[in-house]
Amino acid sequence: MTKVSIKETQNPTILKFEFQDFITQNESFEFKNIDEAKTSPLAQQLFYLPFVKTIYISANFIAIEKYSIVEWEDVKDAVAEQIETFVNNGGVIINVEENKTKKQPITVYGETTPNPAALKFVVSKMLTKNAIEFKNIDQTAPSPLAKELFKFPYVKEVFIDENYISVTKYEINEWQEITLELRSFIKQYIENGGTVLDESLVEASAKQENSTHQDFDNLDVTSQQIINILEEYVKPAVAADGGNIVFDSYDENDKTVKVILQGACSGCPSSTFTLKSGIENMLKSMLNDENIKVEAVNA
């Protein structure tokens, strides 16, 4: 029996319905209406729900963007049940053979970030459910796209999350000289069916990394509170700027919170100001402790 778990995303209008196993083979799909969804009988059925705006299918999840006529809280369980019933009755999620003949056009546009060395390329489809950062080409085994990007001599770092790719450049080139080339390359690569991320390798890497840390339940109460504050209040803001922040540790003795900055946040001239004036002040206020300090491990 297939069971679906419901996961929130950084966008309150989009909800993920996750499966225990992969439902696509390193492919991602986006459907804006029932006509576009001819290769997905499940997506076609979901479009009969009047609040469904866009459907993304990738890796082990289906993400649905809703119109504002309903709140997710009122309908999410019914949607999950509908998906489970469809699949358990033998319904087809994606007709792979039919889809292979069709190239799916996407849009890619560049967004500036607070870091002048980093640009955020936003893609009109879901790319991954796991944020991942690559500091060099040797780390790119999970991402053929990142490997190709590092072949451009001006690419210094690559960060991929949800529906965007942050590229950090060396000073050798200005953005106006290279943005069009990068945007066109990313667009053509994805449209031609290139693999952005092999989710199985990403998840294996994430599990291995997490195994070196204590489980959330085993952390002290203050560390748990800090993680929850970062997840709810800080991550959505830094994601909008093309970056990510990860909790590293909390020292109860000197009240120091250590975090890891990724993507556009890493090496950003304003990151120290953000840490001190933004995150540190927020933690002091929410935890009611003026002695808390925040440091970036990789600053």
Side-chain angles (χ1 to χ4, degrees):
M1 289 283 289
T2 296
K3 289 294 292 179
V4 173
S5 56
I6 302 169
K7 299 286 174 68
E8 293 182 355
T9 71
Q10 293 168 352
N11 184 335
T13 66
I14 298 176
L15 211 59
K16 281 184 185 176
F17 298 86
E18 290 191 355
F19 292 74
Q20 292 165 319
D21 299 310
F22 285 89
I23 56 176
T24 68
Q25 297 296 317
N26 298 326
E27 293 179 286
S28 298
F29 308 91
E30 177 183 356
F31 306 110
K32 293 284 190 185
N33 55 58
I34 198 166
D35 287 339
E36 288 184 5
K38 287 175 182 173
T39 57
S40 174
L42 173 56
Q44 284 193 314
Q45 178 171 313
L46 291 171
F47 272 116
Y48 282 106
L49 300 171
F51 56 83
V52 171
K53 181 179 181 181
T54 308
I55 296 173
Y56 311 90
I57 301 178
S58 179
N60 70 330
F61 67 87
I62 294 170
I64 299 176
E65 182 181 8
K66 71 172 182 67
Y67 288 106
S68 57
I69 57 170
V70 298
E71 296 300 324
W72 270 126
E73 197 58 41
D74 299 327
V75 297
K76 63 181 182 181
D77 292 330
V79 173
E81 185 179 342
Q82 183 171 331
I83 293 172
E84 288 173 354
T85 302
F86 180 89
V87 174
N88 288 323
N89 288 338
V92 175
I93 298 175
I94 283 285
N95 189 326
V96 179
E97 291 307 314
E98 256 187 69
N99 195 77
K100 278 183 181 173
T101 61
K102 295 189 177 182
K103 178 176 171 181
Q104 293 201 349
I106 61 160
T107 57
V108 178
Y109 64 90
E111 274 188 4
T112 56
T113 74
N115 185 350
L119 199 66
K120 177 180 175 183
F121 293 91
V122 183
V123 183
S124 61
K125 65 185 287 185
M126 301 289 280
L127 300 176
T128 179
K129 61 188 181 70
N130 294 294
I132 186 165
E133 183 176 45
F134 304 101
K135 295 286 191 182
N136 56 61
I137 198 167
D138 288 341
Q139 298 176 346
T140 58
S143 175
L145 172 57
K147 185 174 185 177
E148 292 302 315
L149 287 172
F150 273 111
K151 292 178 182 177
F152 291 98
Y154 45 74
V155 171
K156 183 180 181 183
E157 295 173 13
V158 177
F159 175 76
I160 303 174
D161 192 13
E162 299 231 326
N163 70 326
Y164 69 86
I165 300 153
S166 282
V167 176
T168 303
K169 69 173 182 66
Y170 287 105
E171 293 179 4
I172 187 171
N173 289 95
E174 298 299 323
W175 280 119
Q176 62 263 30
E177 300 168 343
I178 59 176
T179 300
L180 182 58
E181 181 179 33
L182 280 175
R183 188 180 69 80
S184 300
F185 175 79
I186 292 169
K187 175 177 167 64
Q188 289 173 14
Y189 180 92
I190 297 174
E191 282 186 341
N192 289 329
T195 301
V196 176
L197 279 172
D198 183 333
E199 294 284 348
S200 61
L201 292 177
V202 175
E203 289 188 334
S205 170
K207 282 176 184 169
Q208 188 176 2
E209 192 176 308
N210 289 337
S211 68
T212 63
H213 297 282
Q214 293 173 292
D215 292 331
F216 179 84
D217 293 338
N218 294 331
L219 292 172
D220 61 274
V221 174
T222 306
S223 292
Q224 292 179 341
Q225 290 176 318
I226 291 168
I227 290 171
N228 288 334
I229 291 169
L230 292 178
E231 290 287 333
E232 186 171 353
Y233 297 100
V234 181
K235 279 198 174 187
V238 296
D241 288 334
N244 191 32
I245 186 168
V246 180
F247 173 81
D248 180 76
S249 62
Y250 170 66
D251 188 321
E252 293 184 72
N253 295 320
D254 63 7
K255 304 291 183 76
T256 298
V257 180
K258 291 187 177 179
V259 297
I260 299 167
L261 300 176
Q262 297 178 321
C265 296
S266 179
C268 177
S270 62
S271 62
T272 303
F273 177 80
T274 303
L275 284 172
K276 294 297 176 186
S277 299
I279 300 167
E280 189 174 285
N281 286 344
M282 180 186 290
L283 291 175
K284 284 179 178 179
S285 172
M286 297 183 100
L287 297 174
N288 198 24
D289 188 340
E290 284 299 316
N291 296 315
I292 282 182
K293 301 186 292 291
V294 178
E295 293 178 4
V297 176
N298 56 336

